[in-house]
Amino acid sequence: MENKSGEFAITRMARHFRPAHYLLKIQSYSLLCETGVEKYDSAVFEVGGHKWRLSLYPKGNLKMNGTGHISIYLSIVDTEKSPLGWEVNASFKLFVYDQIRDKFLTTQDVEGAIRRFHDIKTEWGFDKFLPLDSFNVISNGYLVNDCCVFGVEIFVHERSAKRECLTMIKEPPNRIMTWKIENFSRKDKVSYASQVYVVGELKWKILIYPNGFIPMEAPKAISVFLYSVDCLAPDYKIFVDFKLRIRDQINNEHAEKRAKHWFSASSYDWGFSQLLSRKDLEDASKGFLVEDTLIVEAEIMVMSTVK
């Protein structure tokens, strides 16, 4: 963001706690200026896995219209071994210490703008960090006993954010899972699981309880559930709009119910404890059990995927 004069807008505030990353103390500041030095480069320091340096212009960076001000910049250094096309994104704050009030005047780009350091642009900062008229006034506390202190905080923004893409799929491929259970009346276990079915890119099983999922209701009904094989990670969730049915093999009047559920590691199966009564199952005219074969299906209408 630029102001009307074409300069980048900055924000300033005073705080008591010192800069987190680097302090530059200069004693006999007037002697430094008398030497005629145009720029002073600090020692190299490391923040966020990168090496940096402060560059101070005691009488302003004249090439950047910094006359009458202190100019100060942050540079990234020792990048010779960095890969071609390297870049480091960082926001930073520069400080000058008010020694009278024990506060640090903080200067930063407006709203903490992120600057891109790269092989062509290795330096960012402020051409007009502080007016010399203000800096040299002893009552302001910036230059006391010919001593001053500058500082910096750097916040490197690494490109390590995780990404997630949620996709809702209507009528996914292979969405009907058909399980033919032969010799059904001879089943004596509490529950049975089908083979693994692959719908889209997700894996499922059908679970059946021949005498009911809830023991108190046995043997009044058959319970059927859809089971997610993929829901293992704690934060992984799959939304499914699905139907469970037991096929009527004679009249085509199936026992069917529909449900919507978010499958997860803590809720990896969902269905109906009373999909079909044992009375209807045992009624041959109903067509659910033919030649001692039961056909159970799960049909997915809508399913989510996360990548």
Side-chain angles (χ1 to χ4, degrees):
M1 181 183 295
E2 294 181 324
N3 57 28
K4 292 181 180 179
S5 64
E7 298 175 349
F8 285 101
I10 62 175
T11 57
R12 299 182 190 270
M13 62 172 288
R15 75 183 204 191
H16 284 288
F17 51 99
R18 66 176 55 198
H21 297 132
Y22 195 73
L23 288 173
L24 170 62
K25 182 178 182 179
I26 302 176
Q27 295 179 320
S28 301
Y29 187 79
S30 60
L31 289 178
L32 176 66
C33 294
E34 289 174 8
T35 64
V37 63
E38 179 183 354
K39 179 179 73 166
Y40 176 77
D41 290 328
S42 76
V44 174
F45 56 95
E46 187 170 334
V47 178
H50 304 281
K51 294 182 179 180
W52 309 87
R53 173 186 285 134
L54 283 179
S55 295
L56 177 74
Y57 292 75
K59 295 183 179 180
N61 186 351
L62 305 184
K63 296 178 181 178
M64 299 302 294
N65 197 29
T67 304
H69 292 75
I70 290 177
S71 303
I72 189 168
Y73 304 91
L74 175 67
S75 301
I76 190 167
V77 298
D78 291 351
T79 60
E80 292 80 6
K81 296 182 180 180
S82 298
L84 185 66
W86 69 269
E87 66 176 53
V88 175
N89 296 283
S91 55
F92 59 91
K93 299 177 182 179
L94 294 172
F95 301 79
V96 61
Y97 182 43
D98 177 350
Q99 303 169 59
I100 296 175
R101 282 158 283 273
D102 188 25
K103 289 185 177 182
F104 287 88
L105 177 64
T106 305
T107 303
Q108 68 181 94
D109 290 304
V110 67
E111 297 180 352
I114 299 174
R115 297 301 186 188
R116 187 168 69 96
F117 294 80
H118 51 91
D119 54 355
I120 299 176
K121 179 69 173 176
T122 60
E123 180 182 87
W124 288 96
F126 304 104
D127 306 320
K128 298 180 179 180
F129 175 71
L130 189 65
L132 286 172
D133 289 345
S134 176
F135 177 75
N136 291 322
V137 175
I138 295 178
S139 61
N140 286 336
Y142 304 128
L143 185 62
V144 177
N145 295 325
D146 208 20
C147 174
C148 56
V149 179
F150 300 91
V152 63
E153 283 181 352
I154 307 168
F155 305 89
V156 177
H157 300 263
E158 299 289 355
R159 292 184 175 180
S160 59
K162 294 183 178 179
R163 297 182 181 182
E164 177 179 317
C165 179
L166 172 67
T167 303
M168 305 299 290
I169 302 173
K170 185 176 182 180
E171 298 182 354
N174 305 315
R175 63 192 180 93
I176 298 178
M177 298 163 270
T178 302
W179 180 20
K180 184 180 290 187
I181 308 173
E182 298 178 342
N183 302 315
F184 181 78
S185 61
R186 301 178 191 177
K187 303 297 183 184
D188 55 3
K189 292 184 180 180
V190 174
S191 65
Y192 294 88
S194 72
Q195 68 185 64
V196 174
Y197 299 91
V198 179
V199 180
E201 297 179 357
L202 300 180
K203 297 177 181 178
W204 303 91
K205 287 184 179 181
I206 302 172
L207 305 181
I208 188 169
Y209 294 77
N211 293 306
F213 175 70
I214 302 175
M216 292 180 61
E217 296 183 356
K220 296 180 180 178
I222 297 177
S223 304
V224 182
F225 297 86
L226 181 63
Y227 172 86
S228 171
V229 178
D230 298 292
C231 284
L232 300 176
D235 298 327
Y236 192 68
K237 295 192 300 183
I238 303 169
F239 172 81
V240 182
D241 179 358
F242 65 100
K243 293 179 182 178
L244 290 173
R245 71 174 66 93
I246 296 177
R247 294 190 65 88
D248 173 355
Q249 303 172 56
I250 298 176
N251 311 300
N252 210 35
E253 296 180 1
H254 314 308
E256 179 181 277
K257 290 186 179 180
R258 185 169 180 169
K260 296 179 181 180
H261 184 64
W262 282 96
F263 289 80
S264 65
S266 60
S267 184
Y268 46 78
D269 60 1
W270 198 257
F272 305 97
S273 59
Q274 299 184 56
L275 185 59
L276 179 67
S277 69
R278 294 291 304 192
K279 180 181 177 181
D280 287 341
L281 174 71
E282 294 163 0
D283 185 342
S285 66
K286 298 287 186 179
F288 295 111
L289 194 61
V290 176
E291 296 181 358
D292 205 23
T293 298
L294 189 76
I295 300 177
V296 182
E297 287 184 342
E299 179 181 356
I300 294 180
M301 277 71 71
V302 178
M303 179 180 73
S304 70
T305 61
V306 176
K307 293 183 179 180

